PDB file of all heavy atoms in Angstrom:
ATOM      1  N   THR A  89      -4.687 -15.142 -25.332  1.00  0.00           N
ATOM      2  CA  THR A  89      -3.647 -14.173 -25.664  1.00  0.00           C
ATOM      3  C   THR A  89      -2.996 -13.713 -24.368  1.00  0.00           C
ATOM      4  O   THR A  89      -3.502 -13.975 -23.262  1.00  0.00           O
ATOM      5  CB  THR A  89      -4.243 -12.960 -26.393  1.00  0.00           C
ATOM      6  OG1 THR A  89      -5.245 -12.354 -25.550  1.00  0.00           O
ATOM      7  CG2 THR A  89      -4.884 -13.384 -27.718  1.00  0.00           C
ATOM      8  N   PHE A 104       1.857  -8.956  -7.128  1.00  0.00           N
ATOM      9  CA  PHE A 104       1.726 -10.151  -7.946  1.00  0.00           C
ATOM     10  C   PHE A 104       2.457  -9.966  -9.265  1.00  0.00           C
ATOM     11  O   PHE A 104       2.814  -8.865  -9.667  1.00  0.00           O
ATOM     12  CB  PHE A 104       0.243 -10.450  -8.231  1.00  0.00           C
ATOM     13  CG  PHE A 104      -0.421  -9.442  -9.138  1.00  0.00           C
ATOM     14  CD1 PHE A 104      -0.433  -9.611 -10.519  1.00  0.00           C
ATOM     15  CD2 PHE A 104      -1.029  -8.302  -8.616  1.00  0.00           C
ATOM     16  CE1 PHE A 104      -1.024  -8.677 -11.350  1.00  0.00           C
ATOM     17  CE2 PHE A 104      -1.622  -7.361  -9.441  1.00  0.00           C
ATOM     18  CZ  PHE A 104      -1.627  -7.548 -10.818  1.00  0.00           C
ATOM     19  N   GLN A 105       2.661 -11.085  -9.939  1.00  0.00           N
ATOM     20  CA  GLN A 105       3.138 -11.114 -11.313  1.00  0.00           C
ATOM     21  C   GLN A 105       2.214 -12.038 -12.090  1.00  0.00           C
ATOM     22  O   GLN A 105       1.679 -13.005 -11.519  1.00  0.00           O
ATOM     23  CB  GLN A 105       4.586 -11.618 -11.383  1.00  0.00           C
ATOM     24  CG  GLN A 105       5.573 -10.703 -10.676  1.00  0.00           C
ATOM     25  CD  GLN A 105       6.960 -11.315 -10.561  1.00  0.00           C
ATOM     26  OE1 GLN A 105       7.106 -12.525 -10.591  1.00  0.00           O
ATOM     27  NE2 GLN A 105       7.968 -10.469 -10.421  1.00  0.00           N
ATOM     28  N   THR A 144     -14.552 -11.336 -18.705  1.00  0.00           N
ATOM     29  CA  THR A 144     -13.920 -11.168 -17.398  1.00  0.00           C
ATOM     30  C   THR A 144     -14.102 -12.445 -16.598  1.00  0.00           C
ATOM     31  O   THR A 144     -15.201 -12.993 -16.538  1.00  0.00           O
ATOM     32  CB  THR A 144     -14.545  -9.992 -16.629  1.00  0.00           C
ATOM     33  OG1 THR A 144     -14.316  -8.778 -17.361  1.00  0.00           O
ATOM     34  CG2 THR A 144     -13.933  -9.858 -15.238  1.00  0.00           C
ATOM     35  N   ILE A 176       5.284 -27.920  25.617  1.00  0.00           N
ATOM     36  CA  ILE A 176       5.367 -27.287  24.305  1.00  0.00           C
ATOM     37  C   ILE A 176       3.937 -27.103  23.825  1.00  0.00           C
ATOM     38  O   ILE A 176       3.186 -28.078  23.677  1.00  0.00           O
ATOM     39  CB  ILE A 176       6.177 -28.150  23.313  1.00  0.00           C
ATOM     40  CG1 ILE A 176       7.601 -28.350  23.829  1.00  0.00           C
ATOM     41  CG2 ILE A 176       6.200 -27.496  21.935  1.00  0.00           C
ATOM     42  CD1 ILE A 176       8.400 -29.371  23.040  1.00  0.00           C
ATOM     43  N   THR A 186      -4.902 -22.609  23.273  1.00  0.00           N
ATOM     44  CA  THR A 186      -3.693 -23.368  22.983  1.00  0.00           C
ATOM     45  C   THR A 186      -3.972 -24.845  23.243  1.00  0.00           C
ATOM     46  O   THR A 186      -4.919 -25.202  23.946  1.00  0.00           O
ATOM     47  CB  THR A 186      -2.509 -22.922  23.860  1.00  0.00           C
ATOM     48  OG1 THR A 186      -2.863 -23.112  25.241  1.00  0.00           O
ATOM     49  CG2 THR A 186      -2.164 -21.461  23.622  1.00  0.00           C
ATOM     50  N   LEU A 274      17.411 -39.112  10.518  1.00  0.00           N
ATOM     51  CA  LEU A 274      16.225 -39.677  11.156  1.00  0.00           C
ATOM     52  C   LEU A 274      15.837 -41.024  10.567  1.00  0.00           C
ATOM     53  O   LEU A 274      15.101 -41.791  11.196  1.00  0.00           O
ATOM     54  CB  LEU A 274      15.065 -38.695  11.032  1.00  0.00           C
ATOM     55  CG  LEU A 274      15.220 -37.384  11.816  1.00  0.00           C
ATOM     56  CD1 LEU A 274      14.141 -36.387  11.423  1.00  0.00           C
ATOM     57  CD2 LEU A 274      15.179 -37.655  13.310  1.00  0.00           C
ATOM     58  N   PRO A 318      25.832 -31.838   4.220  1.00  0.00           N
ATOM     59  CA  PRO A 318      25.783 -32.938   5.182  1.00  0.00           C
ATOM     60  C   PRO A 318      25.126 -34.204   4.649  1.00  0.00           C
ATOM     61  O   PRO A 318      24.920 -35.157   5.404  1.00  0.00           O
ATOM     62  CB  PRO A 318      24.944 -32.348   6.316  1.00  0.00           C
ATOM     63  CG  PRO A 318      23.965 -31.477   5.596  1.00  0.00           C
ATOM     64  CD  PRO A 318      24.704 -30.904   4.404  1.00  0.00           C
ATOM     65  N   GLY A 340      35.379 -17.515   4.238  1.00  0.00           N
ATOM     66  CA  GLY A 340      36.009 -16.299   4.749  1.00  0.00           C
ATOM     67  C   GLY A 340      35.856 -16.228   6.251  1.00  0.00           C
ATOM     68  O   GLY A 340      35.214 -17.079   6.885  1.00  0.00           O
ATOM     69  N   GLN A 379      21.437   2.561  10.014  1.00  0.00           N
ATOM     70  CA  GLN A 379      20.564   3.727  10.079  1.00  0.00           C
ATOM     71  C   GLN A 379      21.015   4.589  11.263  1.00  0.00           C
ATOM     72  O   GLN A 379      20.833   4.229  12.422  1.00  0.00           O
ATOM     73  CB  GLN A 379      19.108   3.282  10.260  1.00  0.00           C
ATOM     74  CG  GLN A 379      18.646   2.261   9.223  1.00  0.00           C
ATOM     75  CD  GLN A 379      18.653   2.834   7.822  1.00  0.00           C
ATOM     76  OE1 GLN A 379      18.179   3.943   7.607  1.00  0.00           O
ATOM     77  NE2 GLN A 379      19.187   2.091   6.880  1.00  0.00           N
TER      78      GLN A 379
END
Side-chain angles (χ1 to χ4, degrees):
T89 58
F104 69 90
Q105 296 171 336
T144 298
I176 300 170
T186 60
L274 293 170
Q379 307 296 314

